[in-house]
């Protein structure tokens, strides 16, 4: 719904002209500017004192391209602004065609919405007053950041210039927020945080404050790593809860859903699994209500991951709903259009199929579909293109093989060793000390159970086990790894002693 804020008398004068026979009554609402405050959304248009004024769009209802601060009121301009918001691009351009300058700017906005290529040389302003100078810098940054530009250089420069030249703290915050998004996507997390920390939020609208707070909370959530600080998690959760409460009261469903995902992650880290499940379930529902299908399925994936962790923590009844959630998500994240997400789903299903409890006679069936899922994941996560992911899948496949019922014609443990070897070929000690140490422990565990029928003593395997134990101690990725290595060493020494005694007899 698009709301036009103006005085009651003016609305009576312009409403028929605004509708122009387009039957827009269901899409446009009037709000008396004297009794209701516009929200910081592109879907709120203000007509006051002969001008059309556009609020700062903190709701991302439109691309963050800035039009002139005040546009001289004209019924066709107002209707063109409505039409572009309804996705009626041709009608919008026709209505605004009397103003070549505005038409050119409308075309840029349409290109941003449709993913068309944009030439930065098209950007211009009619005057170089304070706001125009600022919006020129901001728009240069925006089209290089969000648009399809042949040479998207100087994004940092334009965002920084926009932030410094902004006429108010509100606009400075708006530019800084989108610069934050750019830096976050680039993995420049410290710089991203710095951009928002510098904003004087006391001078920013409540919508802007909540957006900044939610963005900083999201960054902090994404950077969390074990061991988790309980006090820090509580503080972060409180900040998110403030945002959630605000967004729920004001009906900002997308923003609420995004915060729910972060809240779910924090609850997950706190092992408050039931609480996290509630957050994810609600986020899926909100994204669906807003027609944001991909976001809804992304939230469903997070819900599936939570259910898997919950099941692995001693609650196997959650394996089945986790499996169903992944299967549902795979119908959207297909191999053709979302190969990476598809491969991750297949990997997760492979793990679930190997661990889901069932009757003994059905375990072979689960093992078969598990192996098929891992094999499918490896068609995407190849060693050449995705070495890190390849190693992870191989490690998970090796662990799964040790859980499968023993095959008649092959040894699952010997096969597991081959996959652990593949993982170790990627997980070197310098770059992945923890992952390599975990894989070595898995390798040692499988080695104890592997078939030695060709040579009961199998000196080659014993020699390799000794090398792995020595390496595990040398890597020293943590005391727990060293202690595990010593236990394997003790067990191996005992075996060597038995073999030596048998050799004497």
């Amino acid at each position: 719904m698009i709301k036009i804020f103006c005085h009651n008398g003016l609305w009576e004068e312009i409403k028929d002209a605004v509708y122009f026979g387009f039957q827009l009554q269901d899409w446009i609402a009037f709000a008396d500017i004297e009794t209701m405050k516009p929200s910081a959304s592109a879907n709120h248009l203000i007509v006051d004192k002969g001008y059309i004024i556009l609020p700062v769009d903190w709701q991302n209802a439109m691309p963050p391209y800035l039009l002139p601060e005040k546009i001289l009121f004209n019924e066709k301009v107002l209707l063109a602004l409505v039409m572009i918001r309804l996705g009626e691009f041709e009608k919008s351009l026709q209505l605004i065609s009397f103003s070549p300058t505005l038409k050119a700017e409308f075309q840029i906005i349409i290109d941003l919405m449709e993913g068309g290529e944009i030439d930065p040389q098209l950007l211009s302003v009619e005057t170089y007053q304070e706001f125009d100078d600022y919006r020129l810098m901001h728009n240069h940054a925006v089209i290089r950041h969000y648009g399809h530009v042949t040479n998207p250089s100087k994004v940092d420069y334009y965002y920084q210039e926009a932030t410094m030249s902004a006429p108010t703290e509100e606009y400075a915050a708006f530019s800084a927020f989108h610069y934050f998004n750019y830096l976050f996507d680039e993995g420049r997390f410290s710089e991203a945080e710095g951009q928002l920390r510098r904003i004087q939020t006391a001078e920013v609208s409540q919508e802007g404050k909540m957006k900044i707070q939610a963005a900083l909370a999201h960054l902090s959530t994404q950077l969390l790593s074990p061991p988790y600080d309980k006090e820090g998690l509580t503080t972060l959760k409180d900040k998110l809860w403030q945002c959630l409460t605000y967004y729920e009261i004001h009906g900002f469903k997308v923003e609420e859903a995004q915060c729910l995902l972060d809240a779910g992650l924090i609850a997950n880290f706190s092992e408050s699994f039931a609480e996290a499940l509630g957050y994810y379930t609600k986020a899926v529902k909100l994204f669906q209500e807003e027609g944001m299908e991909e976001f809804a399925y992304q939230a469903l994936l997070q819900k599936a991951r939570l259910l898997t962790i919950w099941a692995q923590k001693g609650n196997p009844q959650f394996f089945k709903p986790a499996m169903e959630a992944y299967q549902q998500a795979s119908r959207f994240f297909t191999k053709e259009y979302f190969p990476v997400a598809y491969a991750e789903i297949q990997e997760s299903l492979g793990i679930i199929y190997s661990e889901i409890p069932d009757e003994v006679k059905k375990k072979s069936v689960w093992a078969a579909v598990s192996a098929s899922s891992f094999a499918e994941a490896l068609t995407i996560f190849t060693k050449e293109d995705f070495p890190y992911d390849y190693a992870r899948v191989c490690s998970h496949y090796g662990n799964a093989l040790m859980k499968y019922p023993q095959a008649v014609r092959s040894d699952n443990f010997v096969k597991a060793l081959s996959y652990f070897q593949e993982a170790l070929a990627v997980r070197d000690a310098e770059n992945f000390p923890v992952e390599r140490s975990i894989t070595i422990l898995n390798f040692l565990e499988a080695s104890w159970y592997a078939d030695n029928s060709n040579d009961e003593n199998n000196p080659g395997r014993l020699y390799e086990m000794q090398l792995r134990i020595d390496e595990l101690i040398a890597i020293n990725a943590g005391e727990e790894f060293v202690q595990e290595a010593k236990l394997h060493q003790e067990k191996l020494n005992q075996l060597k002693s038995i073999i030596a005694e048998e050799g004497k007899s």
Side-chain angles (χ1 to χ4, degrees):
M1 177 66 71
I2 297 167
K3 277 190 178 180
I4 297 176
F5 288 77
C6 62
H7 295 285
N8 187 52
L10 180 60
W11 176 246
E12 291 300 321
E13 289 180 24
I14 68 171
K15 67 178 181 180
D16 292 335
V18 169
Y19 291 148
F20 274 99
F22 286 114
Q23 302 298 316
L24 297 178
Q25 292 90 333
D26 293 337
W27 302 99
I28 301 177
F30 159 72
D32 189 348
I33 198 170
E34 293 183 353
T35 60
M36 185 179 294
K37 180 184 176 183
S39 292
S41 167
N43 286 333
H44 286 186
L45 304 173
I46 303 167
V47 180
D48 191 32
K49 298 178 181 178
Y51 289 96
I52 301 171
I53 303 166
L54 309 175
V56 175
D57 183 21
W58 285 109
Q59 283 188 258
N60 298 325
M62 292 285 289
Y65 183 94
L66 293 174
L67 289 169
E69 184 177 21
K70 294 181 178 180
I71 303 173
L72 193 66
F73 174 72
N74 179 293
E75 291 169 347
K76 287 188 175 182
V77 173
L78 184 61
L79 184 57
L81 288 167
V82 169
M83 286 296 186
I84 200 171
R85 282 154 176 75
L86 295 177
E88 298 287 348
F89 299 146
E90 288 189 15
K91 291 178 181 177
S92 179
L93 291 174
Q94 289 172 2
L95 287 161
I96 206 71
S97 59
F98 70 90
S99 172
T101 304
L102 276 178
K103 184 178 181 181
E105 298 209 61
F106 274 46
Q107 185 62 62
I108 291 172
I109 294 172
I110 292 168
D111 288 339
L112 283 170
M113 296 173 78
E114 293 187 326
E117 189 171 330
I118 303 170
D119 181 2
Q121 299 300 319
L122 295 175
L123 289 176
S124 64
V125 291
E126 291 185 325
T127 66
Y128 282 90
Q129 297 178 4
E130 185 179 22
F131 183 82
D132 289 320
D133 185 45
Y134 154 70
R135 83 179 184 94
L136 182 61
M137 296 297 102
H138 175 89
N139 289 341
H140 265 289
V142 163
I143 67 163
R144 285 166 167 79
H145 176 191
Y146 295 106
H148 287 272
V149 177
T150 304
N151 182 21
S153 60
K154 297 185 177 180
V155 178
D156 291 276
Y157 167 78
Y158 284 115
Y159 268 131
Q160 289 165 8
E161 286 294 311
T163 304
M164 288 188 292
S165 63
T168 66
E169 200 67 21
E170 181 83 1
Y171 281 110
F174 187 63
S175 294
F177 171 74
H178 287 283
Y179 190 20
F180 168 92
N181 289 339
Y182 172 75
L183 293 169
F184 184 94
D185 291 341
E186 291 284 304
R188 295 157 61 185
F189 302 125
S190 180
E191 293 175 72
E193 182 179 10
Q195 287 300 317
L196 294 188
R197 294 289 184 197
R198 282 194 285 270
I199 297 298
Q200 301 297 318
T201 54
E203 301 176 38
V204 177
S205 65
Q206 191 64 18
E207 292 96 334
K209 288 176 184 175
M210 288 295 102
K211 202 76 171 183
I212 290 171
Q213 183 166 312
L216 289 170
H218 177 65
L219 174 61
S220 298
T221 303
Q222 297 305 305
L223 295 180
L224 287 171
S225 61
Y228 302 112
D229 174 41
K230 289 185 178 180
E231 187 176 335
L233 289 178
T234 300
T235 301
L236 195 51
K237 184 177 175 181
D238 289 343
K239 290 183 180 297
L240 278 170
W241 194 253
Q242 292 171 15
C243 297
L244 280 168
T245 303
Y246 177 83
Y247 290 141
E248 185 174 19
I249 290 172
H250 291 82
F252 299 160
K253 293 184 179 181
V254 174
E255 289 82 357
E256 183 185 355
Q258 290 169 333
C259 285
L260 283 167
L261 295 181
D262 287 331
L265 198 58
I266 293 169
N268 190 351
F269 292 153
S270 304
E271 297 197 0
S272 300
F273 299 127
E275 180 184 0
L277 181 60
Y279 292 142
Y280 290 143
T281 301
K282 187 174 182 180
V284 171
K285 182 173 180 290
L286 288 171
F287 282 132
Q288 288 173 337
E289 288 175 356
E290 293 300 295
M292 301 179 72
E293 189 178 30
E294 183 174 346
F295 284 87
Y297 279 105
Q298 288 285 3
L300 182 63
L301 282 181
Q302 290 194 228
K303 179 179 176 179
R305 294 183 190 111
L306 166 74
L307 289 166
T308 304
I309 294 169
W310 201 355
Q312 291 171 330
K313 290 281 186 177
N315 297 277
Q317 68 271 25
F318 293 112
F319 276 123
K320 187 175 181 182
M323 175 184 69
E324 291 170 348
Y326 278 124
Q327 289 171 338
Q328 184 181 348
S330 70
R331 290 194 283 272
F332 178 82
F333 294 110
T334 61
K335 188 175 185 177
E336 181 181 4
Y337 295 107
F338 300 95
V340 172
Y342 172 82
E344 290 174 349
I345 291 170
Q346 294 305 313
E347 177 186 4
S348 298
L349 285 171
I351 294 169
I352 291 173
Y353 294 147
S354 72
E355 298 185 23
I356 192 167
D358 208 331
E359 303 171 45
V360 175
K361 62 182 180 181
K362 292 183 179 179
K363 292 299 287 183
S364 295
V365 176
W366 286 119
V369 292
S370 173
S372 177
S373 293
F374 282 122
E376 186 68 8
L378 288 173
T379 64
I380 304 296
F381 289 146
T382 62
K383 193 173 186 176
E384 296 72 27
D385 297 332
F386 298 94
Y388 182 82
D389 300 284
Y390 173 81
R392 187 189 64 245
V393 176
C394 285
S395 182
H396 284 150
Y397 192 8
N399 286 325
L401 281 160
M402 292 196 290
K403 298 183 179 77
Y404 294 165
Q406 188 59 39
V408 176
R409 297 181 181 177
S410 63
D411 180 15
N412 288 341
F413 292 102
V414 171
K415 192 173 182 181
L417 287 173
S418 70
Y419 279 99
F420 291 139
Q421 293 278 28
E422 286 295 310
L424 288 169
V426 174
R427 293 175 164 177
D428 61 85
E430 182 180 356
N431 296 304
F432 311 106
V434 174
E435 290 94 333
R436 186 170 182 83
S437 297
I438 292 171
T439 308
I440 289 174
L441 283 177
N442 291 334
F443 179 90
L444 290 169
E445 187 66 26
S447 296
W448 290 113
Y449 297 99
D451 181 20
N452 297 322
S453 57
N454 292 330
D455 184 346
E456 188 174 341
N457 296 332
N458 201 340
R461 179 164 296 144
L462 296 182
Y463 176 73
E464 185 167 15
M465 289 175 71
Q466 185 62 64
L467 289 178
R468 296 302 183 190
I469 291 170
D470 292 340
E471 182 186 2
L472 191 58
I473 293 172
I475 294 173
N476 194 15
E479 182 61 28
E480 67 275 17
F481 293 115
V482 175
Q483 292 303 317
E484 288 283 346
K486 289 179 178 178
L487 290 174
H488 281 288
Q489 183 68 71
E490 183 180 341
K491 190 175 177 181
L492 186 61
N493 289 340
Q494 291 174 356
L495 178 59
K496 288 179 178 178
S497 296
I498 293 171
I499 292 172
E501 287 297 323
E502 290 177 347
K504 293 177 183 178
S505 59

